[in-house]
């Protein structure tokens, strides 16, 4: 643990883990009612363009504001900012229950995105503050698993509430108040924060590892594109293979997505291996999965390939996050976490654009999958090169006469 007098355990881990559900709430719970929202605002100019932004705006805001949230955490502390962000998230999240002006609704979604950026950055930073070694890796890996499992539940909840009205799913945002109670009762501000507040010049003297984190964040953006391609575009692939019933599409997507938490469980058992080896395995699995998706002719083959790709994503995301946070000083941990979160959500925002561009350039959605399979294969080869380089360095260090 990072604190000098308090020991973090299961209550603190769960309190910081559960808010990861807020990262998927913005899109998943509202996706089933998008057609109803389009119908409600059909008389608004360019409604087909503006209304979907109710779903996508929070992700863009997370990408833009995660890094500033991390800077604020390093400069002024974590816990108080986290609690304020969760409160604003709840208030603005449920606001569309009573708002009818589209501009007001969209403004509330901007605030939801900004506060979501703070929540994801600060909870991850606190996990890094409270836990060390394998315990830290366990809780960081579980973030990915919980987010993926909650997406399945939230999709079902959103669809059920959507049968009442298009506004009803927004009520789910009130659940963040329960998560706020967990933060209030089970967490504390790390004692190191007092040192930063009393000596603000100290954090300026700690060098920020731009080169190392820049490379990790670039890989993370690519991995996020792979991860969200399945979440966003699998329905198009299933439709192209003759599956048109929304309930069937939702069920098949949910079933395949369960491979993500399986991948995170595998990471917990393999986390002692070199990062380059984990990246090699993960990208190879993603490449094989997307290749199978591109060539699949039947539903079973398609879903098995999706599960393989999702397993690879479930392995790679905690690998990258724990790699990013490893060895960071307390004074820069918030900024580093914010930068990683920003790169992840940039990948989410870019995923639809990448797949659409590849589809238009090469013919269809399955051609786009093949392009991503090739890109994953190239990433695996680069990871193999990194692994070989590590082996050469280790051999040189142990050779006779080496210093």
């Amino acid at each position: 643990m990072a604190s000098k007098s308090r020991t973090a355990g299961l209550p603190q881990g769960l309190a910081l883990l559960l808010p990861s559900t807020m990262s998927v709430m913005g899109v998943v719970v509202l996706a089933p009612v998008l057609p109803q929202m389009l119908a409600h605002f059909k008389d608004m100019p360019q409604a087909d363009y503006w209304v979907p932004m109710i779903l996508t705006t929070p992700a863009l805001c997370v990408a833009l504001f995660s890094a500033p949230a991390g800077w604020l955490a390093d400069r002024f502390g974590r816990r108080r900012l986290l609690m304020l962000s969760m409160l604003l998230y709840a208030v603005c999240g449920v606001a569309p229950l009573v708002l009818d002006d589209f501009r007001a609704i969209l403004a509330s979604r901007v605030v939801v995105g900004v506060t979501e950026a703070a929540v994801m950055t600060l909870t991850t930073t606190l996990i890094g503050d409270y836990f060390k070694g394998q315990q830290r890796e366990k809780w960081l890996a579980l973030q990915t698993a919980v987010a993926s499992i909650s997406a399945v539940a939230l999709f079902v909840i959103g669809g059920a509430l959507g049968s009442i009205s298009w506004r009803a799913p927004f009520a789910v945002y009130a659940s963040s108040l329960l998560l706020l109670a967990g933060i209030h009762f089970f967490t504390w501000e790390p004692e190191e924060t007092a040192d930063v507040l009393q000596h603000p010049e100290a954090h300026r003297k700690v060098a920020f590892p731009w080169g190392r984190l820049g490379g990790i964040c670039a890989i993370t953006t690519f991995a996020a594109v792979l991860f969200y391609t399945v979440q966003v575009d699998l329905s198009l692939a299933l439709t192209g293979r003759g599956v048109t019933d929304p309930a069937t599409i939702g069920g098949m997507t949910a079933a395949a997505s369960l491979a993500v938490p399986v991948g995170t469980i595998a990471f917990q058992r393999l986390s002692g291996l070199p990062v380059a080896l984990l990246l090699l395995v993960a990208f190879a699995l993603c490449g094989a999965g997307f290749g199978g998706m591109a060539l699949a002719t039947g539903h079973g083959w398609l879903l098995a390939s999706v599960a393989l790709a999702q397993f690879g994503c479930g392995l790679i995301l905690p690998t990258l996050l724990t790699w990013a946070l490893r060895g960071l000083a307390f004074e820069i941990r918030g900024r580093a976490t914010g930068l990683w979160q920003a790169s992840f959500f940039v990948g989410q925002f870019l995923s639809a654009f990448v797949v659409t561009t590849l589809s238009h350039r090469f013919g269809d959605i399955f051609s786009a999958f093949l392009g991503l399979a090739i890109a994953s294969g190239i990433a695996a080869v680069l990871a193999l090169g990194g692994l070989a380089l590590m082996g050469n360095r280790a051999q040189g260090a142990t050779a006779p006469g080496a210093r």
Side-chain angles (χ1 to χ4, degrees):
M1 67 169 187
S3 178
K4 299 180 181 66
S5 60
R6 301 190 190 187
T7 301
L10 180 62
Q12 289 71 38
L14 290 176
L16 295 170
L17 176 67
L18 293 178
S20 62
T21 59
M22 296 162 66
S23 67
V24 297
M25 196 178 295
V27 174
V28 173
V29 78
L30 300 180
V33 297
L34 179 58
Q36 294 170 260
M37 287 192 285
L38 286 167
H40 181 82
F41 292 105
K42 65 180 184 299
D43 296 329
M44 185 180 70
Q46 296 182 307
D48 291 345
Y49 171 78
W50 286 104
V51 173
M53 292 183 69
I54 293 177
L55 276 68
T56 59
T57 293
L60 178 60
C61 291
V62 173
L64 293 174
F65 292 100
S66 290
W71 181 87
L72 290 172
D74 284 340
R75 183 64 184 85
F76 300 106
R78 283 73 150 128
R79 186 171 178 269
R80 185 177 301 175
L81 180 60
L82 173 59
M83 295 178 67
L84 175 61
S85 298
M86 295 181 74
L87 179 61
L88 289 174
Y89 179 95
V91 172
C92 293
V94 301
L97 287 171
V98 295
L99 296 175
D100 199 52
D101 180 76
F102 180 82
R103 289 171 295 183
I105 292 175
L106 191 60
S108 73
R109 300 297 289 168
V110 170
V111 179
V112 165
V114 173
T115 54
E116 183 182 325
V119 170
M120 293 307 300
T121 299
L122 295 168
T123 52
T124 303
T125 301
L126 281 170
I127 289 175
D129 294 338
Y130 285 179
F131 300 99
K132 298 297 181 184
Q134 291 185 344
Q135 284 296 306
R136 176 190 288 175
E137 293 176 353
K138 179 187 77 172
W139 289 110
L140 291 176
L142 286 173
Q143 276 191 322
T144 304
V146 168
S148 301
I149 294 172
S150 67
V152 177
L154 288 170
F155 186 87
V156 175
I157 293 171
L161 291 175
S163 63
I164 302 173
S165 77
W166 67 267
R167 297 180 186 274
F170 288 96
V172 175
Y173 285 87
S175 63
S176 60
L177 294 176
L178 296 175
L179 305 179
L180 172 59
I183 297 295
H184 174 73
F185 288 110
F186 297 113
T187 68
W188 58 84
E189 186 67 47
E191 294 179 10
E192 292 88 343
T193 300
D195 297 332
V196 174
L197 294 176
Q198 293 171 10
H199 305 284
E201 71 284 354
H203 77 282
R204 302 189 188 100
K205 297 179 181 179
V206 179
F208 194 85
W210 288 107
R212 172 177 170 270
L213 278 174
I216 296 173
C217 288
I219 301 171
T220 299
T221 298
F222 174 62
V225 169
L226 298 178
F227 176 69
Y228 280 104
T229 292
V230 172
Q231 312 296 320
V232 175
D233 295 296
L234 180 58
S235 59
L236 298 177
L238 289 171
T239 301
R241 290 292 181 257
V243 181
T244 57
D245 178 56
T248 303
I249 291 174
M252 295 173 79
T253 303
S257 296
L258 291 175
V260 175
V262 176
T264 63
I265 293 172
F267 166 78
Q268 293 182 49
R269 295 186 176 276
L270 301 174
S271 59
L273 296 175
V275 169
L277 179 57
L278 291 173
L279 294 180
L280 168 62
V281 173
F283 279 125
L285 289 171
C286 288
F290 277 101
M293 291 162 62
L295 302 174
T297 55
H299 303 160
W301 184 5
L302 178 61
L303 288 180
S305 299
V306 170
L308 186 61
Q310 291 290 79
F311 180 87
C313 290
L315 178 61
I316 195 172
L317 294 176
T319 297
L320 291 169
L321 179 53
T322 56
W323 185 22
L325 294 186
R326 193 171 296 162
L328 292 175
F330 177 86
E331 292 85 354
I332 62 172
R333 191 174 291 138
R335 280 172 286 169
T337 303
L339 190 63
W340 189 89
Q341 294 285 354
S343 65
F344 179 78
F345 279 91
V346 166
Q348 176 182 348
F349 185 75
L350 290 177
S351 62
F353 172 78
V354 170
V355 172
T356 300
T357 300
L358 290 174
S359 298
H360 289 170
R361 180 68 178 83
F362 298 108
D364 58 18
I365 187 71
F366 297 99
S367 299
F369 291 161
L370 183 59
L372 291 175
I374 294 171
S376 299
I378 294 172
V381 171
L382 293 175
L384 179 61
L387 188 63
L389 182 61
M390 290 173 55
N392 290 337
R393 288 178 178 175
Q395 185 176 6
T398 57
R403 296 182 182 181

